[in-house]
Structures are given as structure tokens and as C-alpha cells.
Amino acid sequence: MTLGRRSLLGAGLTGLLGAATLTGCTAETQPWDDLGAEPLALSDEVTWDLTEIPAASRMPLETPEASYQVTAHRLTGSLFPGEVEVITGSRPEEPVPAPPGEAFLLVRLQADFRPWPFASLDASEATTLELSVRRPGSEEPSRLELPDPTLGAPLLLRVAADAAPEDVVLQATSLGAVQQLSLLDGSRLRSDIEHIYGRMRTVGYSATPLVRVLQAEQAAADGAQDALDLDITQIVLTPLVPALGWPGDGLQMLGAEVAPQQRFTRSDGAMIALPATVSGRLDLPDGTAVDAVDVASTGAVYASGQFSRESFLLWFPVPVDLAAAALHLDVQPFPRTEGLAGALGIEAGAQRALTFAADAGES
């Protein structure tokens, strides 16, 4: 069996095992002498002796890019010969003990990466990960950046034998908000954005992803025709928008992607696509009206028959526990003629009722 070996610290640690095995061993040194001195991602092609943490007891650490949680662990004073052989390629005759005052920690840190809801936005660099480990005799913990977390492969490192949860910490900093997850017991030790963990996550507004909320047309005496449609193509809830930052304590962001299509058909049958724009607000149950804090073109083009159109993304800050709201959209048609909005009968805009749920889905 070919075992994959990769380090959480990227190229700086990928040579750790190779250097140990290529150097060989002498009476004074063995290839396993420094195991765990630096964090090391183990092979995910073998079964390791770990204790699973019940799903109900796991505490996630959510960032804009992913959700992290400790799913299994083992704190031990020594590694079995078979485990050492898998890691180094050499098998000791006896279990390999940790240095005095230290222990080996094997932990499975699961990273569930989720796609950003809109392709036009990127959250891949919003968070910095850092591992903090206290070692015996050291007043300050050693700190290591973790730019390449595993997707479930166990992690091996050495910690103090009497380590407490706060002595082995994964720290995530997302646009200034700090969160800490203990790798010793999987508990969330700190979160500057604790309010996001009880948030609503899904939006209900229709049985289908694309909803037409407005359709209007107006014909002239000579046979020419103006027409305008407006579709909702996607609505999501997300803790933040990287370009806009954190919305504030107790808030998250609602993003509505809408696509207007304006067209003019001349009396000779020739059709022309025209650029309409959109603005909007959310009407909350308590009567509060929340205007969009940002409206931007997504750069996406949606096909509709022989026409194409650009979509717009509207962002609203909303309470994390909001159960319902009404999305009100106003369309500004390209002013081909004066009073076109009135002629089309779209001055009142369009409205769609929304409901929110705190289920297991990720937005």
C-alpha cells in the first residue's frame, strides 16, 4: 500500500519524514527521535487508534471559507511500533516514548470547505490559521501558521503531558475576528463572533431556484413593444461578506441575486436588449426597512431565449435570528422613452416573502 504523507505546514515540513529516513540511524539517533516536534499530517489511508468524539459534543469553528472541528483524538505517552513504522518506514522493537514531560497528541481536525455562495466573490484569503502549543519549560507557547489544513487526516504533535485545553489551540483570525478551538478536547475556547453559531442558515422563497417576480410589457400603436422581466436567481445567508467586513454583533448578511431583462422590439421585428438596474430593501416584521448596503454587478450573464442579461447582487445586514421578511425590489429601466416605468406599470416594484430556518444546511 502506498501511504500519502503531507504536512499541514506545506513544503517546509514535507521533507521531515524523508530527511529522517534518508539519514539512516546510528547508535545515537533513530528516525523517530523527533516525531511530533513539528505538527505532522499522517496518512489517511490507514486506521489510527483514536477515540471518536460524539457528533453532539463537537464544537465547530466557522470561518468564511470552512468549518473546523475535532472529530477524534488520543493523548498518549508512547506510539506503537506499527504506528512508528507507518510514519517513518522503520519499525522499532518497543513502543516509542515521548520525551520526559511530554506526550503525543493524535488528533483528527476535520475541515469542511464550502463554496462561496457567489462565484464573483472570493473568501479564500479571509482567514489566517495559527497553531499554538505550550511545551514543558516554556513560558510562551510556540506558534505556527497553518496555511494548508487537512481534510480529515490525523495530525501528530507533541504537547505537555499535563496539557490543558488552552495549551493546544487552533486560532483562526478572520478580518480581525479571533476564534480559538482546542485540539485537545475539541472545545471552542473563544469567539469574537459567537452570535453566528445560532444563526438562521437557509432561506425559503419558492419551490424553484429561479423566481420571476415581475413581468411587464407595453405595445405602441405602430407595433413596437417594450418589455421587462425580473427574476430572483439566488438568495443566501452568510456570516459576512469579505469585501464589506463583519456586519456587527447579532447580524449576518443576506445576499439576493436578481436578474432584470429589458428589451425593445421595433415595429420591423428587430429586438434590442437594454440595460436595466435594480435597487431593493428588506421589510422586517417589526416595520423596520433595511436598505441594501451594497449593490453590484456579479458579472454573470443569464441566457433567456435569444437574449442575455447581467445580474445584480444586493446585500442586506439582518438579525441572525430573523424568522421572516419581505424583499422589495425596484427596477429602473433604461430610459428609452420618457415615463417608460409608468407605461410598463412597474413603478410599485415587486415583492417576495422570505422565511428563514436554522437547519443543518450551510450557506
Side-chain angles (χ1 to χ4, degrees):
M1 179 187 299
T2 300
L3 299 179
R5 298 171 183 146
R6 63 184 184 275
S7 168
L8 286 180
L9 300 181
L13 291 180
T14 52
L16 179 63
L17 296 183
T21 54
L22 290 176
T23 301
C25 46
T26 68
E28 293 78 25
T29 64
Q30 298 292 347
W32 49 78
D33 286 347
D34 290 329
L35 278 182
E38 297 285 355
L40 184 66
L42 305 178
S43 170
D44 57 4
E45 298 180 11
V46 297
T47 301
W48 298 89
D49 184 17
L50 303 178
T51 299
E52 293 289 330
I53 298 176
S57 301
R58 300 172 187 170
M59 299 187 71
L61 188 151
E62 290 194 28
T63 72
E65 309 95 318
S67 178
Y68 302 92
Q69 60 182 336
V70 176
T71 60
H73 56 180
R74 176 176 134 225
L75 186 66
T76 178
S78 61
L79 296 176
F80 298 123
E83 293 175 323
V84 176
E85 183 179 16
V86 170
I87 299 170
T88 68
S90 299
R91 184 182 182 92
E93 296 182 359
E94 301 290 338
V96 172
E102 294 187 90
F104 292 111
L105 176 63
L106 292 88
V107 56
R108 186 187 304 129
L109 176 63
Q110 181 172 308
D112 296 317
F113 291 91
R114 53 179 176 261
W116 190 238
F118 299 105
S120 61
L121 300 174
D122 183 15
S124 63
E125 297 182 356
T127 300
T128 299
L129 296 177
E130 185 178 68
L131 180 63
S132 172
V133 180
R134 182 182 69 82
R135 296 269 168 70
S138 176
E139 295 183 2
E140 295 294 328
S142 57
R143 298 183 181 276
L144 298 168
E145 288 190 5
L146 301 177
D148 186 23
T150 72
L151 293 173
L155 176 69
L156 171 68
L157 62 156
R158 289 205 313 256
V159 301
D162 60 350
E166 60 270 19
D167 292 331
V168 191
V169 172
L170 174 70
Q171 178 167 301
T173 304
S174 304
L175 302 181
V178 177
Q179 301 187 86
Q180 294 178 340
L181 182 72
S182 172
L183 297 190
L184 196 65
D185 65 1
S187 60
R188 191 169 59 244
L189 302 174
R190 170 185 172 180
S191 176
D192 294 347
I193 48 172
E194 189 68 30
H195 63 273
I196 71 171
Y197 290 97
R199 69 188 180 93
M200 299 295 187
R201 295 172 180 270
T202 59
V203 186
Y205 60 98
S206 174
T208 57
L210 188 146
V211 175
R212 177 150 294 176
V213 292
L214 188 150
Q215 185 170 10
E217 58 184 37
Q218 184 263 337
D222 61 358
Q225 185 182 67
D226 286 286
L228 192 148
D229 303 329
L230 178 64
D231 295 334
I232 298 175
T233 56
Q234 189 177 186
I235 300 181
V236 301
L237 290 167
T238 185
L240 88 161
V241 180
L244 301 177
W246 295 101
D249 190 35
L251 299 174
Q252 63 175 328
M253 299 298 290
L254 181 144
E257 188 180 39
V258 297
Q261 182 187 60
Q262 181 183 353
R263 56 196 181 275
F264 171 62
T265 304
R266 298 188 319 203
S267 57
D268 61 4
M271 299 180 188
I272 303 171
L274 299 172
T277 58
V278 182
S279 60
R281 73 172 190 271
L282 274 179
D283 294 327
L284 307 189
D286 64 1
T288 302
V290 180
D291 292 326
V293 296
D294 189 72
V295 180
S297 169
T298 67
V301 175
Y302 291 84
S304 178
Q306 57 185 302
F307 298 103
S308 62
R309 53 183 167 170
E310 189 174 22
S311 66
F312 294 87
L313 187 52
L314 290 70
W315 287 110
F316 305 88
V318 298
V320 293
D321 59 353
L322 184 66
L327 175 63
H328 184 92
L329 299 170
D330 289 308
V331 186
Q332 295 80 45
F334 180 81
R336 189 190 66 79
T337 61
E338 185 177 355
L340 181 58
L344 288 169
I346 61 172
E347 292 176 310
Q351 188 160 294
R352 173 64 54 168
L354 309 177
T355 58
F356 309 102
D359 60 15
E362 291 290 346
S363 59

